[in-house]
Each structure stands twice: as C-alpha cells, then as structure tokens.
Amino acid sequence: MIEISKKWKQAAAVSAGMSLALGAAAQLLLPATSVAQAAEPASPDLAFVCTAQIAQSVAASLPTTVTVQPIKNGPFRDATRYVAATGSRPAYCQVTGSFVTNPASGKTANFLATFPAAWNGKYMQLGCSGHCGQFYVSDPATPSIVVTAQGHPGQLVEKGYATFATDEGHVGMDGASWAVKDGKVDQDYVDDWMFRADKVLAHMGKSFTTAFYGRLSGAAQTISHAYFNGCSGGGRDAMVVASYFPEEFDGIIAGSPYNPLGMDLQASMTAIAAHSAPDAALTPALLALMDKVVKNQCDALDGVKDGLIQNPAACNFRPERDLPHCATGTSGNQCFTTHQMETVGTIIHAVTDQQGHVVQTGYSASELQETGGGLAMLTDPTLKILVHHNDPAYSIASSFSFRYGGPGPVTGYHAVVTDAEVAAMRSALSAGAGHIPANAGQLMASHTKLMIWHNFSDEKLTPFNSINWYKQLAHDHGGYASVQDKARLFMLPGTGHCSISGIAPNSFDAISAMESWVEKGQAPDSLPASVADHQFTPGAAKAPALLTPNYTMPLCKFPEMARYSGHGDTHDGTNWSCHADDARLLKVGISGREAGVMN
Ligand SMILES: [Ca+2]
C-alpha cells in the first residue's frame, strides 16, 4: 500500500509539475502557431484544421510535451487523417503522436485522438487491450471498437465524443518483452503500462480537446463530462482509473476487466497442467462434453430450463465425480483421463496460497470456448519479466504445486502458489491492478460512477474476479444498496470474453446507460441486451447466439438475476424482469466455492 500511494503521489506531482515547468516551453513554441494562423480563414472548418501543422500548433499550447507525428502501428500512416461525413456519421479528424509521460526521463507514449465535426462537449478515454502496444480496439472509427464500446462501429463519433487512446508507452502487443532494454527491465515502460500513460493522458487529452475545438470555433471551450471505457486489458485500465484517479472522470465503464494479480498464475498453471502428460490436454469436443454435463445439472437451478445458466457459481459440479472417466489406458472425446480431469480442475478451481487462501478465482465451467492456456503468451512473460525482473534463473514451475484437498474452501484439484511468489507479484504489479478492494476508498469518496460488466462464461478473464471485488466492496462500504450509488456490476450469462462469443444476448449500450446515470442521475437498474456480432477476427467462427438473432433479455444489476414471468418465449426479453429485492446471484454452490467465489 505504501509503495502504491507513493507511485500515485509521484504521478500527481508529475502532472502538476508539467503545468509549471512546461508553460514557458509552450510559450516558446508559439511562433509555429502564428505561422499556421497566417493562412487560416476566420472560421476554419474541420478539414482545414486537420493537418499535422495545425494539430502541432494546438499541441504546443498544452502543458504536456506533445509531438504530432505518424505512428508506425496499424493504419495511421499520416499524423492526421480527415474523414468526410457519411450517412449519420459526422466528419472527423484523427490525430496521432506521442506525449511525454515522464519529464525526468523523457519517456513517451503514443496517442490516437479522434475529433468529430459535431463535438458534444464531452471527452472519452478508451482503454487498450492485452498488454497494449496498439490502438486496434481503441479506434472509435473502426468496427473493432464494438469490443470495448459495447455499441456499434462509429457510435462514439456519431455521439460527438472527442476520444483519446494510448498504446501505454510501447509499440507491439506482446507479453512483456517491450519492458526489457539491454536485458534489464526498464521501470519507465512498466509504469506507463501499469498506470502512468493513462494518468498523464487524462490531463493531456482533455486539454488537447479544448484547445483543438477552441481553435476550430475561435472561442474558449470546456469539457462538460469525461468518461473512460474499455474491455479486457482496457477493463484493467478502467479499474486502475477507478481505483487510483477516479476524479479525472465522471463515469467509468470496465468490461471483462483483467486483473494481473492472479490471472497470470491461473493461465500459466492451466498451461502447465495441460502439458503435464500426453493425455492431459483438453479438446474442443471434451469442453463441449463438459458443457453438456454441467448444463444437465445446472440449467434448471435458476428456475428456468432454457439452455442458459444464469448463475454458474450456484452450480454443484465436481469434475472427478460428474465427468465420465476413461478406462485405464484409453482416451478419446467421450471420456476424461485422470490427467484431463486434473486440467479441468486447474481451470475451474481457484489458485490458492499454501494456507488455502484464494489468490485467483477459477473459471465458470459452462460455455468455455478454450482452456485459458491460450493466455500463456501474456502470462509467462508477465511473471518472468514484470514480477521477477527478467531474472534468467526464475522458473515458473518452482513457484507452484498442485494438490487435492484443503486447507481453505477449495478442495478439488487446484494449483497452489508459494507465498513468496504471491508477495513478489503483489509488490511488482499492484499499481497496475484495480482489483484491490482496499484501494476503492477514493472511488467511494468521489462523484464518479463505475459500471463493471463481465461475461459469465469469459474464457480468458474469469468473471468471478469481478464478483469477488464487488462483494468485498459491498462488505467494506455498507452493503449493496449503499455501493450502488457509485458502482454497479452487470453480469452477462452465457457469453464469452468481451461479448465476442456466446449463446445468449451479448450486446447492450453501456455508454448511453452511463450518460443517463452521470448526466441525468438515472442509475441503470436493468439494461436491455440483444444479440450482435461483436467478433472482430476476420474468418473466425460466428457466435452461436447469432443463430437466435432476436434473442433479448434484461441484464440486472448485481446481485439481482433476471426473473422469468413463467409465460411466453424465453428468448423474448419482455418475459423477463429485474427486481430490487432479488439477490439470487449471491447463491454459491460447490462450483462457486471451488472457484473461490466469496460467500
Ligand atoms: Ca436456465
């Protein structure tokens, strides 16, 4: 805690210091502004100001040092890009460049700004994905934005938002090799990724926005509301913002948020378990078989046998008891070997420390699209590079063991991490983790609203992390009714990571809901969800939910669970409703307990 608060004070000092130290530097750059103004008409339009020269002259007036320039990453070959209006989407101007995140070292991060012609007076900062290093899910003009925005492509431009995104200080999305310079970990890069690029951008982006529209309109501008929105790694960004500098934003949306404290353990251990023997890996057919077993047991526990498990934590699934065993010496897609049972256990059961405390929650056992081991590309480097400072002697396997039995609530086959590893992880990564309940005090004391949403069958980032964080928040801050003034959690049953896949309604308008909450005081009790194609990988399989394109259902605020009227089509949202006196999502069965869900 001491380490973290020191880092935040440093970051705050950096922001404040930049205003003072760079004010004079900005004045010196004014001649460039004069040159641009000489050729400028009295009322320039967006196409006129959307040039590198004018954008740089606007940037030169900011307290942060900004260089407008092309970014060698993705489609941004020029420093500025003007796109004319089409249909309901207004014209917009995109600007790329770099900004100094640490004046002491000169460290920079890249940014992507999007300025619509019809500005709504509002600022939106977009989270990144994975360990960042790119803008591909953070470009409000491209289809992939649906992953982070939960809206339709171009929605933010249509709504008139000025948006900013950052690559968090390095180019290229991979585990953590970007942090290694000459064999050593450069903490400047780690800090930018963990928190600093977003913290500095919150100031820079807002001041750039008002300066840009001031230039366009010829009148001083202010920002009416500021928002943050992201999913996955961008959800991590949102949780970091919410925990450590919530006052920068009026509303924060965290989708399927990544908790680097622990997720890395889970994914690494799953990969180790799956490779522990030739017959340990799980095939898609076996995952489907497990899904069938779980669904047979659990579908009706929510009161409606409709093929959808509304509360996976309430299930009572035990892999070694409930899955068909292969006869000794055999394997195949109709049964599980002992090693495969253990891989299943590693996935769906929590990682504990040696005393049995839950360090990382397991995954939901239904609708799993993959085994979580696919994240090893992010997680092994995280542990070796970010936690162990690229120590060549570090061995992941030496920090873990597997066991059946307690102590503690988790008794099925699960991974156990050493206390030293847990301590090292918390020391190295806490400043980049917004999932620490003890650090939510600033949010609870702020005016800021936080909406978390998480897919109940998220195969990459377990939903139970979000549930445990929220349960602890309610425990620490006066109960659910009390914390719902600031923070609301919405769970999406039957859907996968960032709503890209699934069998149930996966799409809802988080941004409009947050606007109503912040700007009109209308807190979201129930959000209508429908089916949309959120997949962004060309050629990837379509989500099964697209087979039922008219499927609608309300999402209820946690701990409420959507209640069926008992009549009519279960795929019709008008037959479902949310009720304030409902707390059925608090029910924890064997599955939830073994996954480490708090009671
Ligand atoms: Ca059901």
Side-chain angles (χ1 to χ4, degrees):
M1 274 299 293
I2 290 165
E3 265 310 299
I4 299 165
S5 62
K6 200 166 80 189
K7 277 180 189 295
W8 294 108
K9 279 183 185 144
Q10 283 165 352
V14 164
S15 301
M18 276 190 296
S19 308
L20 297 171
L22 298 175
Q27 293 293 323
L28 292 174
L29 289 170
L30 277 176
T33 310
S34 314
V35 170
Q37 278 173 340
E40 188 164 323
S43 302
D45 65 7
L46 187 68
F48 182 88
V49 301
C50 194
T51 66
Q53 188 191 21
I54 292 181
Q56 182 61 60
S57 73
V58 169
S61 69
L62 309 180
T64 311
T65 302
V66 176
T67 306
V68 173
Q69 61 189 2
I71 303 301
K72 294 187 191 79
N73 188 18
F76 307 103
R77 292 193 189 88
D78 300 309
T80 56
R81 182 168 80 114
Y82 174 77
V83 180
T86 51
S88 60
R89 198 197 61 206
Y92 60 92
C93 172
Q94 290 194 302
V95 181
T96 58
S98 67
F99 61 106
V100 171
T101 55
N102 182 3
S105 66
K107 174 80 176 66
T108 61
N110 292 323
F111 69 90
L112 166 67
T114 305
F115 300 115
W119 184 39
N120 63 7
K122 297 189 266 187
Y123 173 79
M124 175 75 74
Q125 194 163 313
L126 294 168
C128 208
S129 75
H131 286 180
C132 210
Q134 38 72 31
F135 298 126
Y136 83 99
V137 292
S138 305
D139 181 354
T142 66
S144 58
I145 189 59
V146 294
V147 176
T148 55
Q150 281 290 293
H152 58 271
Q155 185 193 27
L156 292 173
V157 179
E158 280 173 30
K159 278 178 174 279
Y161 276 96
T163 59
F164 272 75
T166 171
D167 64 4
E168 298 180 342
H170 61 271
V171 174
M173 186 190 163
D174 67 8
S177 65
W178 43 266
V180 179
K181 308 292 165 193
D182 300 325
K184 291 205 165 71
V185 173
D186 186 333
Q187 193 61 31
D188 239 1
Y189 282 77
V190 180
D191 285 349
D192 268 356
W193 168 69
M194 285 202 296
F195 66 93
R196 195 178 57 201
D198 271 313
K199 167 100 176 153
V200 176
L201 182 62
H203 291 264
M204 190 285 272
K206 285 183 225 167
S207 58
F208 201 141
T209 297
T210 51
F212 184 87
Y213 285 106
R215 183 63 171 272
L216 189 61
S217 67
Q221 300 292 322
T222 55
I223 285 169
S224 64
H225 296 96
Y227 295 94
F228 195 102
N229 183 26
C231 191
S232 191
R236 180 192 71 85
D237 300 340
M239 292 298 288
V240 166
V241 168
S243 292
Y244 302 130
F245 43 101
E247 66 283 355
E248 294 288 351
F249 297 91
D250 302 298
I252 299 167
I253 302 167
S256 297
Y258 167 33
N259 177 10
L261 294 181
M263 204 288 291
D264 305 303
L265 307 177
Q266 182 81 334
S268 295
M269 294 317 288
T270 298
I272 289 172
H275 293 101
S276 64
D279 62 349
L282 297 172
T283 61
L286 285 176
L287 286 177
L289 178 58
M290 177 169 79
D291 189 58
K292 202 172 149 192
V293 169
V294 173
K295 214 165 270 175
N296 279 341
Q297 273 191 1
C298 192
D299 178 5
L301 286 185
D302 54 31
V304 189
K305 197 160 170 51
D306 56 353
L308 182 65
I309 296 173
Q310 286 181 264
N311 180 9
C315 299
N316 294 300
F317 174 60
R318 275 198 177 279
E320 67 277 13
R321 182 193 67 193
D322 301 331
L323 293 176
H325 283 258
C326 293
T328 306
T330 67
S331 62
N333 285 330
Q334 300 304 317
C335 61
F336 290 74
T337 66
T338 299
H339 287 125
Q340 285 165 337
M341 296 273 187
E342 291 174 348
T343 302
V344 167
T346 309
I347 294 168
I348 66 174
H349 298 157
V351 178
T352 70
D353 65 13
Q354 289 155 311
Q355 291 76 44
H357 302 117
V358 173
V359 177
Q360 163 68 7
T361 51
Y363 290 84
S364 162
S366 75
E367 304 299 338
L368 272 188
Q369 305 294 313
E370 62 169 52
T371 60
L375 288 173
M377 124 346 195
L378 286 181
T379 58
D380 292 357
T382 301
L383 294 173
K384 180 168 186 217
I385 297 175
L386 299 182
V387 176
H388 290 278
H389 313 289
N390 207 29
D391 177 0
Y394 173 68
S395 150
I396 288 174
S398 66
S399 300
F400 299 93
S401 55
F402 291 95
R403 76 173 172 224
Y404 288 97
V410 185
T411 58
Y413 190 82
H414 66 283
V416 178
V417 59
T418 62
D419 295 352
E421 185 70 16
V422 173
M425 183 179 70
R426 288 182 178 155
S427 166
L429 298 178
S430 287
H435 275 91
I436 304 171
N439 292 350
Q442 220 176 316
L443 173 72
M444 299 312 287
S446 74
H447 75 288
T448 306
K449 310 299 187 194
L450 170 67
M451 178 195 297
I452 307 176
W453 58 269
H454 211 133
N455 308 95
F456 246 139
S457 295
D458 191 324
E459 75 287 4
K460 289 191 166 64
L461 306 174
T462 164
F464 300 134
N465 250 327
S466 290
I467 287 179
N468 274 5
W469 182 85
Y470 197 73
K471 282 186 167 184
Q472 189 65 47
L473 187 77
H475 176 267
D476 294 347
H477 295 274
Y480 291 101
S482 172
V483 297
Q484 279 165 357
D485 284 345
K486 303 279 182 207
R488 294 189 176 207
L489 169 65
F490 293 86
M491 302 303 297
L492 283 75
T495 55
H497 186 56
C498 285
S499 278
I500 294 164
S501 63
I503 59 161
N506 61 339
S507 182
F508 66 103
D509 189 347
I511 292 168
S512 297
M514 181 54 89
E515 288 172 334
S516 294
W517 193 4
V518 166
E519 297 170 29
K520 299 176 190 161
Q522 296 167 355
D525 288 323
S526 164
L527 297 168
S530 56
V531 169
D533 186 0
H534 280 167
Q535 81 124 302
F536 64 105
T537 308
K542 295 284 180 192
L546 294 172
L547 297 172
T548 50
N550 298 321
Y551 195 168
T552 57
M553 228 179 136
L555 307 175
C556 305
K557 67 179 187 291
F558 190 91
E560 297 165 35
M561 186 169 88
R563 187 181 293 168
Y564 178 54
S565 67
H567 308 284
D569 187 356
T570 55
H571 285 179
D572 181 349
T574 61
N575 296 321
W576 296 85
S577 53
C578 304
H579 298 269
D581 61 353
D582 189 354
R584 286 178 296 164
L585 284 188
L586 295 181
K587 189 172 180 199
V588 175
I590 290 172
S591 298
R593 193 190 71 217
E594 293 288 332
V597 178
M598 283 171 58
N599 245 319

